[in-house]
Amino acid sequence: PPSRPGVVQHPVTSFFRRLQTWINLLDPTLLLSSDPEIQKAHTLIGSSKPQDKKDESALTLSLSSVHADSGAALPLVFRPPAFLPIAAPLVVASLLPQSSVKPALFWQFLLQSYCAGFNHANRNSSTEQDKKASLKQLLLIAGTASYTSCAGALPQIFINRLGIRSPAVQTFFRSLFPIPLSAALAFFSVFTIRSEESETGIQVFDRNGNPVGISKAAAEKAVRETALSRAALFGTTAAVPNLLVLLLKRTRLFQRNSLLAAPFRHISVALVLGLMVPVSFSLFPQLGTIKREMLEEELQDRAAGGRLFYHRGL
């Protein structure tokens, strides 16, 4: 795969190879490394190919902590290894049946704000001149977090405002409606936060790692793939525990011990999220490819081998 000077990227491999890589990159102990250690590892990998275990450790640290476009260390809370420890309690709390609208809004706001910040920190910034967030980007983050927070609390809003008392209807709003809603909001968050990439385009490279131009088509593909992977993450995390609880509530064990449902839901949400994070991150390669026929006309002649490469973001 092509490599860009000073920038480490994931190789284009099979899904299972990517999954194995992401399992290593999501190790929370990597968060203990200091910025000088991260930059040292990044410099080492940028100057040579990994040859021994020390180089492999440097590669893992660099991939998990450094932005692929800027080469700067990511903010601690928005690094991939920090995603699961921070998001897990927020996802568990946001999927809990609430007694009123305020706690539902509170947990949704925390979750959606963190996701918006994570999406922005891990975007493709190859065409940005100023690495600091612009006013437009800040407004997008704030607006997206606010909108998705209100939308995420819709099940509880409907139950309270409509005075729903029917157990069947409450089950629909608390167990079934959050499944497509979680997936749609996750897709919307990525798509909106990174909309500027689709407007301006992102850098694309040939097989030797040489930049050949700016492509809006590649940007749209990168944003779409990332949005789909995030929708798969949150949609599955909402679906599996909720459907399992609905099924188990029909068993004698759960009918006799109704208090078992709550801890089972908490544990299953955390477990499914933990399993889906590396799976969703692995659905599409970080070093994406785009075929010649999908590119703009002015870039098609530069697509040696029939394709160009781009950094997808996360």
Side-chain angles (χ1 to χ4, degrees):
S3 60
R4 295 167 51 190
V7 177
V8 179
Q9 299 196 2
H10 293 274
V12 180
T13 58
S14 68
F15 168 77
F16 293 104
R17 288 289 299 278
R18 294 197 300 269
L19 179 60
Q20 183 180 11
T21 299
W22 270 116
I23 290 173
N24 294 330
L25 296 181
L26 293 172
D27 181 1
T29 60
L30 294 170
L31 298 172
L32 302 177
S33 301
S34 63
D35 283 356
E37 290 174 329
I38 293 171
Q39 290 300 334
K40 181 180 178 180
H42 184 59
T43 303
L44 175 65
I45 298 303
S47 60
S48 62
K49 291 185 178 180
Q51 296 179 346
D52 52 32
K53 290 186 177 181
K54 184 178 180 181
D55 289 346
E56 289 179 1
S57 299
L59 175 62
T60 299
L61 179 59
S62 179
L63 286 172
S64 65
S65 309
V66 176
H67 194 282
D69 292 312
S70 67
L74 290 163
L76 181 66
V77 296
F78 296 133
R79 294 174 191 170
F83 185 82
L84 180 59
I86 295 177
L90 301 180
V91 173
V92 170
S94 66
L95 290 177
L96 285 177
Q98 304 293 344
S99 58
S100 63
V101 174
K102 287 184 179 180
L105 281 172
F106 173 76
W107 289 113
Q108 283 291 335
F109 180 74
L110 292 182
L111 173 62
Q112 301 299 341
S113 297
Y114 176 72
C115 289
F118 185 88
N119 295 336
H120 178 263
N122 290 276
R123 71 197 184 282
N124 182 305
S125 60
S126 57
T127 58
E128 295 179 11
Q129 300 297 326
D130 187 1
K131 297 305 178 183
K132 294 183 179 180
S134 64
L135 177 61
K136 179 181 178 181
Q137 288 174 330
L138 292 175
L139 290 174
L140 273 175
I141 294 171
T144 302
S146 301
Y147 177 82
T148 51
S149 298
C150 295
L154 279 178
Q156 190 61 44
I157 293 174
F158 285 147
I159 290 174
N160 280 42
R161 299 304 179 189
L162 300 178
I164 296 173
R165 295 292 180 265
S166 169
V169 179
Q170 284 193 1
T171 297
F172 170 78
F173 279 111
R174 286 179 170 166
S175 299
L176 299 179
F177 185 44
I179 296 173
L181 182 63
S182 298
L185 293 180
F187 184 96
F188 176 82
S189 180
V190 174
F191 196 81
T192 307
I193 293 295
R194 296 180 55 178
S195 60
E196 196 167 350
E197 296 174 35
S198 301
E199 296 172 3
T200 60
I202 59 176
Q203 280 190 343
V204 288
F205 304 84
D206 60 21
R207 62 172 61 252
N208 297 316
N210 301 313
V212 298
I214 306 298
S215 171
K216 292 184 179 180
E220 292 173 358
K221 186 171 182 285
V223 173
R224 182 173 63 253
E225 289 176 345
T226 306
L228 287 172
S229 68
R230 205 75 88 244
L233 168 62
F234 285 98
T236 305
T237 302
V240 175
N242 282 346
L243 295 178
L244 276 178
V245 169
L246 285 179
L247 291 174
L248 291 174
K249 280 185 175 180
R250 297 183 177 183
T251 64
R252 292 183 179 180
L253 177 63
F254 276 71
Q255 288 175 352
R256 293 175 181 175
N257 304 277
S258 58
L259 295 178
L260 289 176
F264 179 84
R265 185 194 299 271
H266 301 168
I267 295 171
S268 60
V269 168
L271 286 176
V272 173
L273 180 67
L275 292 172
M276 281 302 300
V277 168
V279 170
S280 65
F281 287 0
S282 306
L283 288 178
F284 302 98
Q286 287 299 102
L287 187 61
T289 61
I290 182 168
K291 296 180 180 179
R292 175 188 286 135
E293 54 267 24
M294 297 176 62
L295 289 162
E296 293 83 346
E297 291 184 4
E298 62 271 18
L299 293 175
Q300 290 183 0
D301 294 338
R302 306 176 193 177
R307 60 180 182 173
L308 292 177
F309 300 83
Y310 60 88
H311 169 234
R312 178 173 65 85
L314 184 63

